[in-house]
Amino acid sequence: MIPFRSTRGAEPVPLSRALEDGIAKDGGLYVPAQFPQHLPSAFPEASGEGALAAVAEHLLAPFFAGDVLSPDLAGITSRAFDFPVPLVEVPGAPGKLSILELFHGPTAAFKDFGARFLATCMGALAAHRGASDGRKLTILVATSGDTGGAVAAAFHGVPWAEVVVLYPKGLVSPRQEQQLTCWDGNVRAFSVRGTFDDCQRMVKAAFADPELSGAFALSSANSINVGRLLPQAAYYAKASLEVQRAHGAKASFVVPSGNLGNVVACLWARRMGLPIDRVVLAHNENRTVPDFLHTGQFEARPSVATLASAMDVGNPSNLERLRVLYPDIEELRAAVRAVSVSDEAIRARIRQDHARYRTIHCPHTAVGAEAYANLAPAEQASGPWVLVSTAHPAKFHEIVEPLVGEPVPVPSALARLLALPQRKTEIAPELGALRAAMRAGP
Ligand SMILES: *Cc1c(COP(=O)(O)O)cnc(C)c1O
């Protein structure tokens, strides 16, 4: 069994404890205590129906072995990953370039992978606890847009948990808000008169509040939970195996990044022996990570608002995991590269790639596309490269459509959610208001 240890040193715990705790008792983040070494040739077939679930099962088996969830692993991966994850070549691009489309889940962004995997694991743990412990979990989540919708969709309708989503009023895209507020039953959305930072502060305060933690069995589902990162390593494994089979070479990835959860999953996959070569972190104007790599001095900043809003992070929490993986700055510089892209360049890239390749990027994916376009020609030619597409452009139609001059078709999963009525409660950005709203019940 491979346990999980805290980035700050607390005793290692088994997988299911790490999933339930969310954050380690010493305030650090859980990371694998060791990385299993996988042989690429030992993986099951990486393409075709069910391939992601099969690859994930093989990749994650060493973490599940010996844990109470071990017998559930195959069921968890097949239930959590029941949507496609295509790798689509871009003909005519400089170098060998493919796009890894992570937006075919229920809420059309990559957060669906982590949210569904975590929800399925927590469901299996609830089943093991059985009827003896009838207390429902209350999943509290603060969101800047995509996480809340993915978590709501993943936990909607389960009998063992309630979900409370906090989002900043007026600061998420109209379709993101719809995905946060279209649920009935066990999911409630609170529209907070404040910023994302206020929402996050209220969630932290709720966990520390004796009144709320006495009344509710609180649990969290944000990206500090290791149960959201492990499943993300699986799509990097699958994509890199597919690339190796098609091109006989290791894949290099460009990853649109904010809080660094997605890219840490990529680096974990590389550490576990998958055929992954270079990794480029593509950031928007929130330059904390590119500047840190450049100067060697870490400096958290307040976040600035950009077109790629799900990446507006000034103090990425998963940097702690990245630094544990590469403790020395020179080692980190050799392991990854990080660039920053302006809003102006995002707009130009969306226009240009639509005109050239008929591809429509969401603003986040466009940050990655711009980072790729700025690589030296020799570097592009030394691919194969994979651009990670983090969301469907239809989620951000109000930005994308004026740039490409045509409507973006809405995927059917998203269209279904857009047709549902909204249900939300507006609250002040204070713990007292959250307490009252939670106690009022659905
Ligand atoms: C969350 C998100 C990102 C950033 O991912 P991190 O894991 O926070 O680096 C990028 N694009 C989209 C669409 C997202 O929702």
Side-chain angles (χ1 to χ4, degrees), residues 8 15 42 94 96 114 125 135-136 153 164 172 189 205 218 263 271 284 296 301 320 325 328 367 379 383-385 391:
R8 301 187 190 168
L15 173 69
K96 290 188 195 105
L125 287 172
R135 203 161 168 220
K136 268 191 192 182
V164 171
V172 301
L218 295 179
V263 79
R271 197 47 86 81
N284 59 25
R301 313 248 171 83
E320 197 163 321
L325 205 55
D328 180 77
V367 171
E379 177 124 51
W385 284 89

Side-chain angles (χ1 to χ4, degrees), residues 100-122:
L100 180 61
E101 296 184 353
L102 301 180
F103 52 67
H104 295 277
T107 66
F110 82 88
K111 306 288 201 303
D112 282 323
F113 290 90
R116 284 177 68 78
F117 184 85
L118 182 61
T120 315
C121 288
M122 285 185 164

Side-chain angles (χ1 to χ4, degrees), residues 283-298:
H283 289 267
N284 59 25
E285 278 164 342
N286 291 277
R287 306 187 42 98
T288 305
V289 177
D291 287 352
F292 169 54
L293 281 183
H294 184 68
T295 64
Q297 300 296 318
F298 175 70

Side-chain angles (χ1 to χ4, degrees), residues 135 206 209-218 439:
R135 203 161 168 220
D209 181 44
E211 188 186 322
L212 279 179
S213 51
F216 300 94
L218 295 179
R439 285 199 170 278

